[in-house]
Amino acid sequence: EQLEHDRTEAFIKTGTIHLLAISGLHIGILVGLLFVLLRFAAIPRGLLLLAIAFLTVFYALLTDARPPVMRATVLVVVLCGAMQLARQINPLNALAFAALIVLSWNPSNLFRVGSQLSFLAVATLISIEPIYQKIRHRQRDPLQQLIDRSRFWPVRMLRSAWQWFWQLTCAGLAIFLVALPLVMYHFHLFTPIGVILTPLLYFPLAFALASGLGILLTGWIAPPLAQLFAKVCDANLGVLEWAVSSASHLPGSYAYMAGPPLWWIVVFYAGLAFWMLLPRYRIKRIKPPRAAALLSLWVVVAVISGKHPQQPN
């Protein structure tokens, strides 16, 4: 919020503003870093999970406990509790519990677009998880695994990096398509470049967050070490800003468009919720090509019924 509009405009245009705003993505990176750091400390499992849950809650309060951060924090605490009790989590129940906590904290969060996009993104990831598991199951062929292990190690690293990038891109594309009507309704922006840009900037973002955490932990103990962390953080933030600014000047990276009407959005997301929450009532006879045609027809309805600026007489 304290950055100038000129510096954040490129992030808004490219659909990567979530890289700057503290959100569930940052909580996920933070928790991953804490898992790695605390495991090296040889801490008992129960104390490790308790420390991660406590530090995540502390970080959420430090960042003003905004709805996306609270949602991610609740999910992390639930995950730590389930790992300690050796219980399996129902992702939708955990997400619903997080929604209850967020709404109990401030009921007006229900009408904030940030809260809506945050929960919508996680619900999308939950819905595509079975597809991802099917793909992983197909990739576990013993013969294919033996072939992969026999390759030269740089080839294995490149293949792993490509699979990681491809999986992140597909997940980002799914979130982008599901959230697009809501984004266009509120911001009138179409930002396809963000789907590719976000996975590419994942590591600079992680390094910036990790070094920022290092500044917080060492600034009062070892100022020279904190200065080193500050330089690393500054360099990675510079990479983020340069990459986003350069991408915003690419042709077709973004476009301003009229958003769909409110009734269209209500019907669209009600249909998605029905498909996700009530799988037994899905119409299984509709084949993918026919489903894509029906969805395309519904998009045409949104384009025709959307508000367009009138030309002056």
Side-chain angles (χ1 to χ4, degrees), residues 58-224:
F58 170 75
Y59 184 78
L61 296 176
L62 188 67
T63 55
D64 294 336
R66 298 184 179 182
V69 176
M70 289 183 62
R71 185 266 307 159
T73 302
V74 172
L75 294 181
V76 169
V77 173
V78 170
L79 174 63
C80 292
M83 292 177 65
Q84 176 63 23
L85 299 175
R87 299 289 297 273
Q88 189 173 2
I89 298 177
N90 185 313
L92 289 178
N93 286 347
L95 185 62
F97 178 66
L100 289 176
I101 298 297
V102 171
L103 293 178
S104 299
W105 184 273
N106 187 356
S108 64
N109 289 329
L110 178 64
F111 307 100
R112 295 181 177 177
V113 63
S115 305
Q116 297 169 1
L117 290 174
S118 175
F119 281 92
L120 188 60
V122 178
T124 302
L125 293 177
I126 292 174
S127 64
I128 65 175
E129 176 65 18
I131 301 176
Y132 174 69
Q133 292 297 338
K134 289 182 180 179
I135 297 175
R136 290 191 61 185
H137 181 72
R138 293 176 182 175
Q139 294 175 345
R140 291 175 182 173
D141 180 63
L143 180 59
Q144 186 61 41
Q145 291 182 357
L146 182 61
I147 294 174
D148 292 339
R149 285 196 295 267
S150 65
R151 290 190 172 97
F152 193 40
W153 68 266
V155 177
R156 294 200 305 268
M157 290 183 61
L158 288 176
R159 287 175 61 87
S160 299
W162 169 251
Q163 291 178 357
W164 175 83
F165 175 78
W166 176 250
Q167 291 169 2
L168 279 184
T169 303
C170 290
L173 178 62
I175 295 174
F176 171 77
L177 294 176
V178 173
L180 182 60
L182 194 61
V183 172
M184 292 182 65
Y185 177 78
H186 286 281
F187 306 107
H188 306 288
L189 266 175
F190 177 66
T191 56
I193 191 64
V195 177
I196 300 177
L197 201 57
T198 297
L200 292 175
L201 297 179
Y202 187 86
F203 283 108
L205 175 65
F207 289 139
L209 185 62
S211 54
L213 181 63
I215 297 172
L216 180 66
L217 296 177
T218 62
W220 58 286
I221 298 178

Side-chain angles (χ1 to χ4, degrees), residues 245-268:
S245 178
S246 300
S248 66
H249 293 91
L250 294 176
S253 58
Y254 70 94
Y256 289 101
M257 295 185 177
L262 181 59
W263 65 266
W264 189 96
I265 290 180
V266 172
V267 175
F268 176 76

Side-chain angles (χ1 to χ4, degrees), residues 266-301:
V266 172
V267 175
F268 176 76
Y269 287 114
L272 285 181
F274 181 84
W275 179 84
M276 180 179 179
L277 300 176
L278 301 173
R280 67 175 64 182
Y281 296 106
R282 296 174 187 171
I283 303 177
K284 298 182 179 181
R285 294 182 180 179
I286 299 181
K287 297 181 179 180
R290 187 174 298 178
L294 292 175
L295 182 60
S296 301
L297 180 62
W298 190 242
V299 172
V300 171
V301 172

Side-chain angles (χ1 to χ4, degrees), residues 29 33 201-214 229 232-237 240:
I29 295 174
L33 293 172
L201 297 179
Y202 187 86
F203 283 108
L205 175 65
F207 289 139
L209 185 62
S211 54
L213 181 63
F229 281 128
V232 175
C233 183
D234 180 69
N236 284 278
L237 289 178
L240 283 175

